[in-house]
Amino acid sequence: MISPSEIPIDDGLDEEQQAVVDTPKEPTRTNTGRKKNILLALIILVCVVVVGVLAARPWQASNQPQQTNTSLEDVDVYHGATWPHANSDIQPDPRVTYGSLKNGLRYMIMENAEPPNQLMLRMHVNAGSYQEEEDQLGVAHFLEHMAFNGLRSFDADELIPEMQRLGIAFGAHANAATSFDETYYELDLPNSTDEKALNLGFTVMRDFADGILLEEEEIEKERGVILSELTSSDSVSYRLTKKLWSWLLPGHRLPLRWPGGSPDVISTVPRQRFVDFYEDYYTPERITFIACGDADPEEMERRIIEAYESMKGDQDYNTGDGSDLLGSVVTGTGFAAAVFSDNELVAEEIFLTFSRPYDMPADTESERVSQFPLSLSHSIVSDRLQKAAKKEGSPFRSGGAGGSGREGILGRSGIETGEIGVTLASGSDGNWKVSIPIIEQEFRRALEFGFTPYELDVVKASYMRYYQRMVDVAATRHSQGLATELRETIKGQSVFTTPTEDLRLFSQAMESIMPDDVHAAFKSFWDTSDLKLVLYSKEAAPDTSDIMEQIYNQSKEEKVEPPSMEVDVEFSYNSFGEPGEIISDTTQEDLDIRQLQLGNNVRVNLKTTDFQANTIGITVQFGTGKLSQDTSKPGIQWLAPQMMNNGGLGKHSEDELGRILAGKNVGVSFSVNEGFFTLSGTTTPDDLAIQMQLMVANLVDPGFRV
């Protein structure tokens, strides 16, 4: 089950520049431009190039602070006036400074000391492939590439070397990405106290906004790079997703504007069409700048103002949401089955889905609280399918359920969708036939009977563990992750909150949510006559979709039983005999490591760090690893981790263990290394005892289930 948001978003750097693709994930749970006078645009561009050549390079400034006549009082800064929290009762994170300039550019600034002396700069443009015209397919992504091939302040061969001299590496510190409805640029400064690096960072970010040179020679050189990326990104998931959404959304723009574009257009599109897109959509009204890291917010605000206040605004900018550009979501099509084949597919999938129009609501307390019951219901259905997948002879190896959220591209595109399905086990061409009745009946069981109190308690505990864990580690969150979260609030139109506020909202909701509430939310969400049954297959016969529909309808005639009423089970590994003795206790002063030797000859190394708040990492090494592998059994080093990590314990299956430990921050992973085996896990001080019990149990009584 693949959504468009799971397709890698093309980055703006080629392989030689070691780009790292940033792939926004779908959470569990656009604007039209104006045409400028072409002659005027060309004159302006030429003038910019001349100035860029003759003027002193801003990034070559001395280490002394730059003098400026601009003060914060000189700029019209509207803190919070146009942000989601302005119309919400949700408390935003007070550490974030919000503002906007007279030209319409907005900014967010967040001071965060992890990692120390590092600063993350982001420039978000509210435009992507949705804004392309037919003769511009791929230009949004192509333009993003051109940002690294010649700027007002840097010739094509200057930017990368200058960044490298300042310790800014492509891929690791510089990146860019284009999606359907957004383009964003990322620049991480490894030393936020380096004046030269700061000057370069803000100069480059401003140049991305209106200083990309778009030189003919560089465009021609880059065409091959873009075409090569299209070829390399032409994956199975990409091809199948394009087929699915073309079938599901015939009246919508999404299937017509994949960010990669058209090879024919990319090969021939003239420079002027780049200029048109750039002038139309890279305007301050569509730009949000983010600075997050170990830097003074007032200094960041001053630099943002200096960098962007002179950027010319769009007098014809339309403040609408651009929904008229997207087309419509067709409904009333009824039940249908479809199969999409690709001979490179490795794991086949079959799932129920639907699509309908979605009007994104304001992000308020009541809206967030209202989403919890549905999310809980999907978690329970996922647990049921996962439990079925563990049964001997199951036709599928995993399963799940979920719906689109406001942050994902579907919700942002006015589409609501849900999915319930499985990934098929290999080894039998008929597994999809056996899986259809299981999916249909689990779906109907949830619709007819809802969920048990025990099931709800288990998922509630898991959710509570997550929200509490986020509070526990809040003090050591990294700026890079926070910068991404800030950026995601732009298109998701959501309030950026603290983990404490998130926990408060969840706890408030859990006080009143009962099984009937979860059942009602599930029924309401899945109340549609437009269900679609979809099979992703390596190959399929012409009548496969007819057979799918026949099997589904036959399954509907079968009676389903209510879910079984399960009871709590106690953890069986809380005692391992009398405690041993410490026979040696020393400290390596230079490494600040305490070393213990126990009476059974087990050796323990203890070290305190401040890497992540309220977190304890544990690693156990034992045995001889691959050195003791039987050479007559090749591949056992890959099979062993699968059995150990998915086989549970002798007295508890993996599924039962998951229910027992719901709400606990514990877990164990087994791996095979060259000279030893490893058990590793992460926990909190509160759950340390049960984490240790779990690790010992995995060592002395593994389940060895396939």
Side-chain angles (χ1 to χ4, degrees):
M1 294 164 287
I2 308 164
S3 75
S5 65
E6 291 172 314
I7 299 171
I9 296 176
D10 296 303
D11 63 276
L13 310 172
D14 58 36
E15 292 179 0
E16 183 179 351
Q17 294 167 332
Q18 304 174 356
V20 177
V21 176
D22 181 5
T23 309
K25 301 296 183 183
E26 190 81 21
T28 308
R29 141 34 209 159
T30 62
N31 297 315
T32 57
R34 82 276 187 227
K35 298 298 181 185
K36 286 189 175 180
N37 182 284
I38 294 176
L39 178 60
L40 178 59
L42 287 174
I43 293 173
I44 292 174
L45 185 60
V46 171
C47 291
V48 165
V49 174
V50 173
V51 172
V53 172
L54 298 179
R57 308 288 203 200
W59 49 272
Q60 291 177 336
S62 69
N63 288 326
Q64 297 299 319
Q66 292 181 313
Q67 298 299 314
T68 175
N69 294 324
T70 301
S71 67
L72 295 184
E73 290 75 15
D74 294 330
V75 180
D76 202 356
V77 180
Y78 302 98
H79 292 277
T82 59
W83 304 91
H85 59 260
N87 300 309
S88 175
D89 51 358
I90 296 175
Q91 180 63 42
D93 191 325
R95 291 199 299 160
V96 181
T97 298
Y98 296 86
S100 61
L101 305 183
K102 287 182 178 180
N103 58 15
L105 183 140
R106 305 191 307 166
Y107 56 87
M108 293 184 273
I109 304 168
M110 184 176 187
E111 185 176 10
N112 187 67
E114 290 293 334
N117 298 322
Q118 293 191 27
L119 177 65
M120 315 301 159
L121 303 180
R122 305 289 184 265
M123 190 185 82
H124 179 278
V125 182
N126 188 26
S129 58
Y130 275 157
Q131 280 68 36
E132 295 169 345
E133 297 183 12
E134 289 296 327
D135 64 344
Q136 292 178 314
L137 299 182
V139 163
H141 170 232
F142 202 145
L143 177 61
E144 168 222 307
H145 269 242
M146 294 307 299
F148 297 90
N149 288 285
L151 297 170
R152 173 170 52 228
S153 304
F154 301 90
D155 294 336
D157 58 352
E158 288 183 327
L159 179 58
I160 294 175
E162 184 60 27
M163 284 185 170
Q164 291 172 339
R165 279 191 287 272
L166 294 171
I168 303 169
F170 274 84
H173 301 133
N175 206 351
T178 302
S179 185
F180 295 85
D181 60 349
E182 64 180 345
T183 305
Y184 52 88
Y185 298 84
E186 303 176 331
L187 186 60
D188 299 346
L189 303 183
N191 186 356
S192 60
T193 64
D194 186 336
E195 187 72 13
K196 286 185 178 180
L198 285 168
N199 289 338
L200 179 142
F202 280 88
T203 298
V204 167
M205 284 300 200
R206 167 59 192 270
D207 281 0
F208 286 163
D210 63 355
I212 303 177
L213 299 184
L214 296 172
E215 295 171 317
E216 291 276 10
E217 180 182 357
E218 296 300 325
I219 290 174
E220 293 305 316
K221 286 163 50 177
E222 199 67 19
R223 291 188 198 274
V225 176
I226 303 294
L227 291 171
S228 176
E229 277 195 6
L230 279 183
T231 301
S232 62
S233 64
D234 187 28
S235 64
V236 173
S237 62
Y238 181 74
R239 293 192 295 268
L240 288 174
T241 304
K242 289 181 71 174
K243 293 177 182 179
L244 172 65
W245 291 107
S246 294
W247 179 64
L248 279 179
L249 301 169
H252 200 279
R253 196 174 181 85
L254 187 148
L256 306 176
R257 289 295 185 272
W258 297 92
S262 161
D264 290 340
V265 173
I266 290 168
S267 300
T268 60
V269 59
R271 177 183 182 277
Q272 186 56 50
R273 297 306 279 145
F274 290 91
V275 174
D276 292 341
F277 190 93
Y278 194 35
E279 297 285 348
D280 285 347
Y281 297 108
Y282 279 58
T283 65
E285 297 88 352
R286 296 173 178 84
I287 291 176
T288 302
F289 190 89
I290 298 169
C292 179
D294 194 7
D296 176 46
E298 290 190 3
E299 171 66 10
M300 292 300 98
E301 193 166 38
R302 181 184 69 80
R303 285 183 175 272
I304 293 169
I305 292 169
E306 286 184 356
Y308 287 99
E309 68 171 335
S310 63
M311 189 176 179
K312 301 301 182 183
D314 178 5
Q315 299 299 320
D316 300 321
Y317 177 68
N318 179 6
T319 58
D321 60 6
S323 58
D324 56 330
L325 177 73
L326 300 178
S328 61
V329 180
V330 178
T331 59
T333 55
F335 180 86
V339 56
F340 301 107
S341 301
D342 193 296
N343 58 16
E344 294 183 12
L345 183 64
V346 176
E348 297 186 326
E349 300 178 37
I350 189 163
F351 53 94
L352 284 172
T353 187
F354 71 85
S355 59
R356 61 175 168 237
Y358 175 69
D359 186 12
M360 185 182 294
D363 187 20
T364 62
E365 283 197 19
S366 61
E367 170 60 21
R368 288 200 187 183
V369 168
S370 72
Q371 292 302 310
F372 284 125
L374 178 62
S375 182
L376 292 167
S377 74
H378 283 149
S379 294
I380 295 173
V381 173
S382 296
D383 287 346
R384 290 179 180 178
L385 290 172
Q386 285 294 99
K387 185 177 180 180
K390 299 297 188 296
K391 292 181 179 179
E392 186 174 353
S394 174
F396 54 89
R397 67 187 191 192
S398 64
S404 56
R406 64 189 301 127
E407 287 85 5
I409 185 59
L410 294 175
R412 298 182 339 229
S413 302
I415 305 165
E416 184 169 60
T417 184
E419 291 179 351
I420 298 176
V422 299
T423 299
L424 301 177
S426 58
S428 174
D429 293 338
N431 277 339
W432 62 268
K433 297 179 181 178
V434 186
S435 297
I436 290 175
I438 299 175
I439 296 171
E440 188 279 325
Q441 289 168 30
E442 284 300 343
F443 173 53
R444 190 153 41 94
R445 194 187 327 276
L447 285 175
E448 292 184 12
F449 300 106
F451 312 101
T452 68
Y454 180 78
E455 288 177 315
L456 180 56
D457 287 343
V458 169
V459 296
K460 275 185 177 182
S462 296
Y463 278 51
M464 182 61 76
R465 175 185 63 185
Y466 168 79
Y467 285 108
Q468 184 60 60
R469 179 65 178 154
M470 293 301 100
V471 171
D472 291 342
V473 302
T476 51
R477 289 183 296 172
H478 279 212
S479 296
Q480 191 170 58
L482 290 170
T484 298
E485 291 180 32
L486 286 165
R487 174 179 56 76
E488 289 174 346
T489 66
I490 299 170
K491 296 302 296 186
Q493 300 176 36
S494 54
V495 180
F496 184 80
T497 51
T498 65
T500 300
E501 177 71 356
D502 294 338
L503 176 60
R504 182 188 71 81
L505 290 171
F506 177 75
S507 301
Q508 173 184 312
M510 292 307 100
E511 292 177 0
S512 58
I513 292 179
M514 305 299 289
D516 286 347
D517 302 311
V518 180
H519 185 199
F522 185 82
K523 288 197 299 182
S524 175
F525 183 78
W526 286 93
D527 182 17
T528 176
S529 60
D530 292 338
L531 279 179
K532 303 293 184 284
L533 180 63
V534 179
L535 171 65
Y536 286 164
S537 177
K538 191 176 182 69
E539 57 184 6
D543 61 346
T544 298
S545 59
D546 293 334
I547 297 174
M548 292 166 58
E549 187 166 352
Q550 180 182 5
I551 295 173
Y552 187 86
N553 287 330
Q554 289 174 347
S555 176
K556 289 169 65 176
E557 301 300 320
E558 299 291 328
K559 182 181 178 180
V560 295
E561 299 294 332
S564 58
M565 302 297 291
E566 298 177 90
V567 296
D568 287 333
V569 178
E570 295 292 329
F571 189 53
S572 300
Y573 299 90
N574 50 22
S575 177
F576 298 92
E578 292 295 322
E581 295 182 353
I582 298 174
I583 62 175
S584 175
D585 186 346
T586 60
T587 299
Q588 296 291 331
E589 299 292 346
D590 56 336
L591 299 175
D592 192 25
I593 295 177
R594 183 184 176 193
Q595 296 183 307
L596 310 178
Q597 183 177 353
L598 308 184
N600 59 2
N601 207 33
V602 170
R603 288 169 168 78
V604 182
N605 294 318
L606 303 173
K607 182 174 177 61
T608 301
T609 70
D610 57 1
F611 298 152
Q612 192 170 31
N614 299 297
T615 301
I616 300 173
I618 305 170
T619 300
V620 178
Q621 295 180 358
F622 62 96
T624 55
K626 294 179 183 178
L627 294 177
S628 58
Q629 181 176 332
D630 188 340
T631 56
S632 67
K633 299 177 180 178
I636 195 171
Q637 73 270 27
W638 298 306
L639 177 61
Q642 295 296 320
M643 295 187 67
M644 290 289 288
N645 292 327
N646 299 297
L649 299 172
K651 298 178 181 179
H652 301 301
S653 67
E654 182 190 19
D655 180 68
E656 185 177 74
L657 200 58
R659 296 195 299 271
I660 293 171
L661 300 176
K664 303 292 184 182
N665 286 290
V666 296
V668 178
S669 177
F670 172 84
S671 61
V672 180
N673 301 279
E674 289 295 333
F676 53 86
F677 303 106
T678 298
L679 289 174
S680 58
T682 302
T683 187
T684 64
D686 290 342
D687 293 326
L688 178 60
I690 194 168
Q691 172 69 33
M692 299 301 293
Q693 293 167 0
L694 182 62
M695 297 191 82
V696 175
N698 272 270
L699 187 64
V700 302
D701 191 25
F704 291 120
R705 298 178 182 88
V706 178

